[in-house]
Amino acid sequence: MTKAVLMTVLLAGLIVISTSGPAWAAQLDTTINPNNAESPFKMSYLKTVFIEYPNGGDLFNALGGTQWKTAGTADATNPGVQELMMALNDGIQKDGSQARVSDLNVIYEFQLTGRSLQTSIDYRVILEGSITDYIITEDSQKKLVDLGWRGLTTTSSIVIDGVEINIPLDILKTEEPILYNTFVDTEAENVLNRELINADFILEQPLTNWHFLFDPTGINADANTFGLDDSIQGFVVSSWTMGESSIREGRQVERVFEAEVMADELYIVRSVQSTDTANLSSIGFGALDILDGVEIIGVTPTPPEDYMTTSTGGFPVMIIYGMAGLAAAAGIGFFFISSRSMKNQKVGQQGIDPSNLVGYQTSASSGGYQTNRGEAQLKSDTDYEQTRSVYEQSTEVTPQETTPQETVPEQTMPSGGDEAACGCAASAEIGTECDCEMHGSCLCDATCRCNADICKEQVNEMS
């Protein structure tokens, strides 16, 4: 019963997951080239808002089966994009970083899908642009790169071509007035007024908690055969990745904000954002450091000669080699012990030597024929009781084994050549009746001297 309930819960969970669309939060992808004055970046912001009307109501009548989508793009020449660039740079400066956004393109898309029990609104804004002024200082051996700009966030209202792209509630004012009027001045307003363009968690997660890897392909002698970009030839590439939920990075769960609104019916508003993710790379080998409270990396063309760490940045490779050596030694020891055990095992014939055995026939004639059954016994009588034939029977019939009904008159066996003419094959030795008497017919000729009545009658008739 418990297994059935568990399987039902798992199946229901799979159905819910398979029918629910992903709702991600901020996602950063960038590659910093310390040899250039600016580098590209891409930041995606995604959020999903669910409006539930379990008891129906005006919102069910207005939204059930409704679908619409608002989308658009804009570049740095758009006044709304310029306002967004200024807001992002103000946030970067407040975070203590000297870097700034120098170019920006905006892609936005909002989609509403009405269903029988709920309506979902998907918000997506993508920023693609360039970051500059990230080089703090440099010399002939190393460059210090500012990474404190990665938390691109603004709480300001951003309007591009008449569309509000940062505050989820404001877009409903023009697209769905009934929703806006239902939720304004309620607890749902606090949920829907949370800005979409927010990457604070990417900045708050220390880079020391990110996974680190470096690719030395660019410094290989035959690197040009791999078709590498000219910008990374002669360099290694360092990469930091954030987004895993683990003991080291901490448990990361989706952020859910929920509110109930009582209008003509009870409505539930829920905003869902998953954890933020980021992939940050740099040309060259980057060593993490902190300068005036801002996380930076010291970049060199190649890693130090004594550098041997794994992706976590602090687990020596020699330990891995040592563990592998111990495993190999344990394997060798196992095979050595197994080999010695096999050598100590006895081989060849175990138990009784066949040369000490002799064959012994155990079958008896019956009906004019004889079987060839037999068994093996020891030549010596020693321990005979342990090997005694199971076919051997006592020649004496005990009173318990013989009943009055089983008692028969003593029979006389034919002798010499007459035995072959008698088909009865009487077995007087073990106290059984004549076979002819048992079968009610006699196969004997006139020479038969059986004592069975049927045989005597047969002999008389033949005489």
Side-chain angles (χ1 to χ4, degrees), residues 19 64 179 215 271 415:
T19 56
L179 282 179
D215 182 5
S271 172
S415 60

Side-chain angles (χ1 to χ4, degrees), residues 72 89 105 117 180 214 304 334 344-345 349 361 409 429-430 463:
N89 287 330
N105 294 320
L117 295 178
Y180 180 84
F214 72 95
F334 171 77
N344 291 333
Q345 290 180 354
Q349 174 65 35
Q361 182 172 329
E429 296 178 358
I430 60 175
S463 300

Side-chain angles (χ1 to χ4, degrees), residues 239-255:
S239 300
W240 291 267
T241 303
M242 187 207 80
E244 178 186 2
S245 180
S246 64
I247 297 177
R248 184 173 66 91
E249 293 188 353
R251 183 171 177 265
Q252 301 184 35
V253 298
E254 62 182 12
R255 286 163 285 176

Side-chain angles (χ1 to χ4, degrees), residues 396-453:
E396 298 181 358
V397 181
T398 63
Q400 292 81 0
E401 294 174 341
T402 306
T403 62
Q405 291 78 5
E406 295 175 340
T407 304
V408 297
E410 185 175 353
Q411 302 172 3
T412 303
M413 286 291 295
S415 60
D418 295 338
E419 180 181 1
C422 182
C424 300
S427 302
E429 296 178 358
I430 60 175
T432 63
E433 297 184 35
C434 175
D435 285 353
C436 295
E437 186 77 24
M438 294 177 63
H439 290 85
S441 62
C442 184
L443 303 177
C444 306
D445 57 14
T447 63
C448 180
R449 292 189 290 259
C450 292
N451 292 326
D453 293 338

Side-chain angles (χ1 to χ4, degrees), residues 53-58 182 261-268:
Y53 28 81
N55 302 322
D58 293 340
T182 302
V261 177
M262 190 63 194
D264 61 303
E265 291 288 351
L266 176 65
Y267 302 114
I268 301 173

Side-chain angles (χ1 to χ4, degrees), residues 329-345:
I332 294 174
F334 171 77
F335 287 115
F336 177 75
I337 295 173
S338 299
S339 177
R340 293 190 59 181
S341 299
M342 293 180 64
K343 291 179 180 178
N344 291 333
Q345 290 180 354

Side-chain angles (χ1 to χ4, degrees), residues 213-234:
L213 292 170
F214 72 95
D215 182 5
T217 305
I219 61 175
N220 289 342
D222 56 349
N224 56 351
T225 62
F226 294 99
L228 298 178
D229 186 87
D230 294 338
S231 61
I232 66 174
Q233 289 189 17

